[in-house]
Amino acid sequence: MTPRTTVRTHRELWDAWSQLWNGDYALADDILSRTIRVNIPQHGMPDAETLCDGPRVASWIAAFRSSFDDDASITGELGPFIVGDYAIGRWVFRGTWQGGRPATATVAPGTEVEFRGVDILRFEDGRIAEYWLSDDQLDLYAQLGAVGGTSTVPDADPAPGQLRRQVAELPEEAGRRLLLEQVLDAAADAAESEELRGASGDESFLELGVNSLVAVALSQAVSELAGLSLPRTMVFDQPTPRALADHLWTRLTHTHDGSSPSARDALSSLEIAASELTDDSDPDGAIRAELVKRLNVLLGRLDPAPGSGTGAERLESASPQELFAYLDSRLKPAENAG
């Protein structure tokens, strides 16, 4: 026997819509049309055409809420007024900003905010078929110090230094989230694809449509943004936006005075990475081979053999096992480094 489908009234759909905005993301696929149409402001918003079904709308809402505490909520302030297949109501959002979007925010995490907006819903066949949003984002951005005249950071400060300070002042989770958003925004600009702004960050750059030309532009943009020198092969070294964001976090927070990590610090990181390299993480040996190749060059610079060419030439035929044994004999263990 076919289970009976629950048909919600217009008021029940409105209430479920409010619950969705308050974090009940599982409702999206039940209450939204498979071909929902979303009408939202252009500034600070994703491409409305990408919000075309329940899961995508839920991801957009989750991305917005991720910058605020778990108790942040939207509550009705006026309405809803239901006329025919339409409902309209005014709401107020209250929450505590935890860091993240907007990236230009200058207030400290923990800042409480409040702003208002109006939702209009159109219902069809027991689902929400169309959505209009009009909200006071300018008010929200002003409270977060993200618009002109409200910033607590001098306008003359360079963006890279500002980003470093922002990351240093945030808790680790919020800092990594901010960097991920920056990477996704840069990728969206480089690829001219607004859809990338809503990506999870765990997809590979290849899956996101980043080709070689886009990769070069993205590398340059991220280098300028972070104030770091990054190779053009960045998207191959860090194959996902989240991996790149984590790499930036390490580079930006390693030293807060902007100095480069010491040689001993770099060697310690290398030893840790080498010790964690397993057959499962490197099944075809590609990572190990690349590491051996680059270490060959470095050893050739540091320890040339007198009268017999460079160290690189001496080690050209060395096996990975021989090279790692050599490293073990020459480098101090990571826990004793420094």
Side-chain angles (χ1 to χ4, degrees):
M1 181 176 179
T2 303
R4 182 180 177 182
T5 302
T6 301
V7 178
R8 291 183 172 89
T9 65
H10 291 353
R11 178 56 195 252
E12 288 172 339
L13 285 170
W14 177 274
D15 291 342
W17 173 251
S18 298
Q19 293 171 38
L20 171 59
W21 273 97
N22 284 325
D24 194 349
Y25 307 124
L27 286 170
D29 213 31
D30 291 332
I31 66 173
L32 302 183
S33 168
R34 301 292 189 268
T35 57
I36 186 173
R37 182 173 179 177
V38 172
N39 306 277
I40 53 179
Q42 292 184 350
H43 179 70
M45 296 284 187
D47 183 353
E49 293 185 358
T50 67
L51 305 176
C52 54
D53 60 25
R56 287 180 174 86
V57 171
S59 295
W60 167 50
I61 295 172
F64 167 75
R65 288 187 57 86
S66 68
S67 296
F68 299 91
D69 65 306
D70 292 339
D71 292 331
S73 64
I74 284 178
T75 56
E77 195 172 54
L78 185 64
F81 302 103
I82 300 174
V83 181
D85 290 329
Y86 291 84
I88 181 171
R90 178 177 170 87
W91 47 260
V92 56
F93 173 87
R94 296 183 178 90
T96 303
W97 188 69
Q98 301 295 300
R101 293 183 184 272
T104 53
T106 57
V107 300
T111 299
E112 294 183 1
V113 299
E114 176 180 309
F115 74 107
R116 289 166 170 78
V118 173
D119 281 359
I120 302 175
L121 303 180
R122 180 174 67 83
F123 309 110
E124 184 178 296
D125 297 329
R127 289 175 177 266
I128 299 171
E130 195 162 4
Y131 167 53
W132 289 265
L133 168 66
S134 176
D135 64 351
D136 196 348
Q137 281 210 60
L138 181 60
D139 185 16
L140 172 63
Y141 278 37
Q143 293 175 58
L144 295 175
V147 294
T150 63
S151 175
T152 58
V153 179
D155 292 340
D157 280 3
Q162 180 178 334
L163 179 61
R164 185 183 293 275
R165 285 193 299 275
Q166 283 182 310
V167 169
E169 292 171 358
L170 292 173
E172 180 173 349
E173 183 178 353
R176 290 181 185 273
R177 187 167 62 242
L178 170 62
L179 290 173
L180 176 59
E181 291 165 357
Q182 294 282 341
V183 169
L184 290 173
D185 285 345
D189 292 339
E192 297 183 354
S193 173
E194 289 298 311
E195 190 172 350
L196 266 64
R197 299 187 200 277
S200 71
D202 296 317
E203 309 91 336
S204 70
F205 282 112
L206 184 61
E207 291 173 325
L208 293 173
V210 175
N211 57 31
S212 57
L213 292 177
V214 174
V216 172
L218 176 59
S219 175
Q220 181 177 350
V222 173
S223 295
E224 293 175 356
L225 176 69
L228 299 171
S229 177
L230 298 171
R232 292 187 176 184
T233 57
M234 177 187 70
V235 300
F236 303 104
D237 299 333
Q238 314 294 335
T240 69
R242 192 177 303 278
L244 176 54
D246 289 343
H247 176 70
L248 293 176
W249 167 266
T250 299
R251 293 283 299 274
L252 290 172
T253 61
H254 195 84
T255 54
H256 295 305
D257 59 1
S259 62
S260 299
S262 68
R264 283 195 176 95
D265 289 333
L267 287 173
S268 296
S269 298
L270 173 61
E271 289 171 331
I272 293 172
S275 68
E276 294 176 348
L277 198 60
T278 65
D279 292 338
D280 290 336
S281 64
D282 186 29
D284 58 1
I287 299 176
R288 185 179 293 266
E290 175 67 15
L291 182 59
V292 168
K293 179 180 178 181
R294 295 172 72 171
L295 284 173
N296 271 334
V297 176
L298 179 60
L299 286 172
R301 295 174 184 169
L302 296 176
D303 189 26
S308 61
T310 66
E313 291 172 342
R314 287 191 297 112
L315 294 172
E316 186 65 30
S317 60
S319 68
Q321 292 78 10
E322 291 170 335
L323 183 55
F324 276 96
Y326 177 78
L327 285 174
D328 287 339
S329 69
R330 296 300 299 271
L331 301 178
K332 293 186 293 182
E335 61 268 22
N336 298 324

